[in-house]
Amino acid sequence: MKLAIIGGSGLYELAALGLTDEHRVMTAWGEPSGPITSGTLHGTPVLFLARHGPGHRHPPHKINYRANIAALDELGATAIVGTAAVGGIGVATGAIAVPDQLIDYTWGREHTYYDGSQASPEHVDFSEPYTSWLRDALLDAARTSGIVAVDGGVYGTTQGPRLESAAEIDRLERDGCTLVGMTGMPEAALARERGLDYANLSLVVNAAAGRAHGPITMDDIERELADGMRAVRAIIASLAGSLAGR
Ligand code: HPA
């Protein structure tokens, strides 16, 4: 098996990855966010792609999600973990979560490989948007690393790049969302369309809009990112170790 990590905000490289190669891939859907690095992490072949590209140059609504997933697929990825920095709706800041459901509030993104050129579109099943064995492996990896991760939750993907209004978060809460981010979709659905296992590993970096006093500041988010990404890296390292030889 080959594990791919799509690093979200705060995770721009995997320093522990014995970097053997850098791949600049061009796909039928264009260029991915940046070069993809590959190496071996605790015995498992791993690919790494920074979702926002070098220097965080692609905002959430401009990311070429189709090219990202296609490029990882072409390089042999069989399972993908997408990491994300998210807002918490009833989930504490600093928490790590492995959601089990999602709701897509985005619009205007290239969200499918079925662009009309195929004889007929395939309507992929998405009842369980995240792959259950990979979620379990992430939760086990967290446990092994001594990190208490929230098992389950609903990741609502908003369009961004602005943060939400308090009323928008009220609506997401009524819908059952516990996490809010800007990049969860269409990534998960595209992985499903290509038959790749996919799970999300989220770090809560702020209380969602209207859930704390005052505005959400980038300074607060950056501080939480720096702390929380250590845990995210530990979980990824432990996950890679647990998948060695599979
Ligand atoms: N909302 C949407 N995306 C986010 C947030 C948020 O509060 N925090 C980090 N990414």
Side-chain angles (χ1 to χ4, degrees), residues 70-158:
L72 293 171
D73 191 7
E74 283 167 23
L75 291 173
T78 50
I80 301 176
V81 171
T83 77
V86 300
I89 308 175
V91 180
T93 299
I96 300 256
V98 182
D100 61 350
Q101 278 296 331
L102 61 79
I103 299 179
D104 187 4
Y105 300 93
T106 67
W107 49 270
R109 299 183 181 189
E110 296 287 1
H111 64 285
T112 178
Y113 291 109
Y114 298 105
D115 57 5
S117 63
Q118 292 84 1
S120 64
E122 192 188 331
H123 302 285
V124 292
D125 177 73
F126 207 46
S127 316
E128 300 295 334
Y130 300 115
T131 303
S132 116
W133 77 260
L134 190 54
R135 288 192 63 254
D136 290 346
L138 278 168
L139 290 163
D140 280 345
R143 235 169 272 130
T144 308
S145 313
I147 294 160
V148 181
V150 178
D151 177 359
V154 182
Y155 181 136
T157 307
T158 55

Side-chain angles (χ1 to χ4, degrees), residues 85-88 158 163-164 169 180-182 205-209 216 221:
V86 300
T158 55
L163 294 161
E164 298 73 33
I169 294 298
V180 56
M182 299 174 191
V205 292
N206 61 279
I216 299 166
I221 289 182

Side-chain angles (χ1 to χ4, degrees), residues 13 47 58 110 132 136-137 151 157 172 184 187 236:
E13 34 73 42
L47 300 167
H58 307 291
E110 296 287 1
S132 116
D136 290 346
D151 177 359
T157 307
L172 265 66
E187 197 171 274
I236 289 169

Side-chain angles (χ1 to χ4, degrees), residues 7-237:
S9 297
L11 191 66
Y12 301 105
E13 34 73 42
L14 277 184
L17 197 67
L19 294 184
T20 50
D21 253 323
E22 187 174 272
H23 311 267
R24 291 177 189 275
V25 184
M26 178 54 87
T27 77
W29 290 273
E31 250 184 289
S33 294
I36 295 168
T37 49
S38 68
T40 303
L41 189 58
H42 300 297
T44 295
V46 173
L47 300 167
F48 179 84
L49 171 64
R51 185 186 286 119
H52 295 280
H56 203 105
R57 76 163 73 113
H58 307 291
H61 61 296
K62 295 284 193 188
I63 290 167
N64 190 339
Y65 295 93
R66 292 196 298 187
N68 286 355
I69 297 293
L72 293 171
D73 191 7
E74 283 167 23
L75 291 173
T78 50
I80 301 176
V81 171
T83 77
V86 300
I89 308 175
V91 180
T93 299
I96 300 256
V98 182
D100 61 350
Q101 278 296 331
L102 61 79
I103 299 179
D104 187 4
Y105 300 93
T106 67
W107 49 270
R109 299 183 181 189
E110 296 287 1
H111 64 285
T112 178
Y113 291 109
Y114 298 105
D115 57 5
S117 63
Q118 292 84 1
S120 64
E122 192 188 331
H123 302 285
V124 292
D125 177 73
F126 207 46
S127 316
E128 300 295 334
Y130 300 115
T131 303
S132 116
W133 77 260
L134 190 54
R135 288 192 63 254
D136 290 346
L138 278 168
L139 290 163
D140 280 345
R143 235 169 272 130
T144 308
S145 313
I147 294 160
V148 181
V150 178
D151 177 359
V154 182
Y155 181 136
T157 307
T158 55
Q159 178 72 351
R162 67 164 175 83
L163 294 161
E164 298 73 33
S165 70
E168 285 171 334
I169 294 298
D170 291 345
R171 172 189 170 206
L172 265 66
E173 185 167 38
R174 288 194 296 275
D175 285 353
C177 294
T178 57
L179 307 170
V180 56
M182 299 174 191
T183 57
M185 284 289 282
E187 197 171 274
L190 292 166
R192 180 62 53 86
E193 283 190 353
R194 288 191 82 114
L196 303 174
D197 291 327
Y198 181 92
N200 171 278
L201 180 62
S202 276
L203 167 69
V204 179
V205 292
N206 61 279
R211 299 304 185 267
H213 300 293
I216 299 166
T217 70
M218 287 314 289
D219 281 355
D220 291 343
I221 289 182
E222 297 288 340
R223 197 168 39 248
E224 288 298 332
L225 269 178
D227 286 351
M229 278 305 149
R230 274 192 284 279
V232 168
R233 285 172 192 278
I235 293 171
I236 289 169

